[in-house]
Amino acid sequence: MTVQDDSRENELIQLFNLERPVNLSRSGTDAILTLNELKITFELKSTTKTSVTTVRDFGPEHIKKWRGKHWLFGFYEKGGKILKYCLYASPKMMAPWISEKSDYVGSDYKLAQLIPELISISLLYEIVGEKEVYTLEDAQSLQKRQYTIQEYRNKMDLESGYSPEGMLSILKDRCKYLIERGSTLNNPHIPASYFEGWERITTNHAQRLRELVTETIQENT
């Protein structure tokens, strides 16, 4: 997140009287609204345009993270310092967009699950040569920096290294990683048309948000 994005996010948190998660980097949640002892998780986005950018490498982890979340969008003047208006979105309101993007990458991620299991020992031998015992260096030549040293050591199934079956498992992981890496959607936008007809919040931000969230909860009970 850039300094400017971080500043705008902090402004939204203060304006709507939200809280930061205790462990922001691990929680996957930008902000929390406490409402009648409920903890409502929020995704925050800001923009200087009429559309909204999301993330660089959109994939299944974002789908899992965003489903069920509430959203706040801050729309700023071109310079990025003056807030024009905000939009609130319930999980139901965001569901069509998330589902559309999920469908877009879905088949690629199915390939990432299925194709590695088709890799055989003979294919392993074609790639790294045939050995009775493979070394740590052999394994690192396959999976590069995708494992930590400890993970490499944990995967050793022989005292001095890896059996062909152990290396096959690493090769499958590598194949899965490469397919998933190529399957992400780069920075999908939420178009301006998606927000048509949504209420613009320009005053009494904290109060109005709580009213809208309360309405959402009541609709789902």
Side-chain angles (χ1 to χ4, degrees):
M1 180 182 292
T2 65
V3 173
Q4 189 176 49
D5 286 343
D6 192 46
S7 175
R8 295 198 301 240
E9 190 170 285
N10 287 333
E11 180 179 10
L12 293 177
I13 287 173
Q14 293 176 11
L15 195 60
F16 287 94
N17 194 19
L18 304 176
E19 308 165 36
R20 282 286 195 189
V22 175
N23 196 330
L24 181 61
S25 61
R26 293 185 181 181
S27 69
T29 293
D30 293 332
I32 296 172
L33 168 64
T34 301
L35 184 65
N36 299 327
E37 299 184 356
L38 292 175
K39 298 291 185 181
I40 312 295
T41 58
F42 271 83
E43 184 76 16
L44 305 182
K45 298 294 179 187
S46 64
T47 182
T48 57
K49 301 178 180 179
T50 55
S51 62
V52 176
T53 59
T54 53
V55 290
R56 287 186 179 179
D57 296 310
F58 175 88
E61 69 279 5
H62 297 101
I63 297 166
K64 186 184 299 184
K65 169 188 169 183
W66 288 343
R67 279 184 171 149
K69 267 198 170 60
H70 298 245
W71 294 60
L72 272 177
F73 302 95
F75 291 81
Y76 284 76
E77 295 284 359
K78 191 173 182 180
K81 294 183 178 180
I82 300 175
L83 180 64
K84 297 189 294 182
Y85 61 90
C86 298
L87 299 177
Y88 161 74
S90 67
K92 183 178 180 180
M93 293 166 73
M94 290 304 300
W97 183 85
I98 294 172
S99 293
E100 176 189 318
K101 301 309 172 188
S102 175
D103 291 344
Y104 186 90
V105 300
S107 59
D108 291 340
Y109 275 86
K110 285 181 181 178
L111 285 174
Q113 299 298 319
L114 298 173
I115 295 299
E117 294 307 312
L118 302 178
I119 298 175
S120 63
I121 286 286
S122 60
L123 184 56
L124 170 74
Y125 292 159
E126 285 189 40
I127 294 172
V128 296
E130 184 173 353
K131 296 182 180 180
E132 291 185 4
V133 180
Y134 294 91
T135 65
L136 173 62
E137 289 72 23
D138 291 330
Q140 288 176 321
S141 72
L142 272 184
Q143 188 61 322
K144 312 297 190 289
R145 296 183 179 180
Q146 295 310 308
Y147 293 157
T148 64
I149 287 295
Q150 188 58 52
E151 286 173 324
Y152 274 111
R153 297 194 183 282
N154 290 343
K155 288 182 177 293
M156 287 182 176
D157 56 344
L158 298 175
E159 185 175 347
S160 55
Y162 309 86
S163 68
E165 290 74 20
M167 277 292 280
L168 180 61
S169 175
I170 293 173
L171 178 58
K172 289 179 178 181
D173 279 356
R174 183 63 179 175
C175 179
K176 181 175 184 289
Y177 163 75
L178 290 174
I179 296 174
E180 287 183 344
R181 184 179 179 184
S183 301
T184 57
L185 184 58
N186 186 36
N187 206 358
H189 285 54
I190 306 173
S193 59
Y194 195 80
F195 303 117
E196 287 182 5
W198 290 22
E199 177 184 337
R200 294 187 176 187
I201 303 173
T202 56
T203 59
N204 299 321
H205 296 76
Q207 178 183 337
R208 186 56 186 147
L209 176 63
R210 282 153 179 79
E211 291 170 351
L212 291 170
V213 172
T214 298
E215 290 173 10
T216 294
I217 293 172
Q218 290 174 345
E219 288 174 1
N220 294 326
T221 56

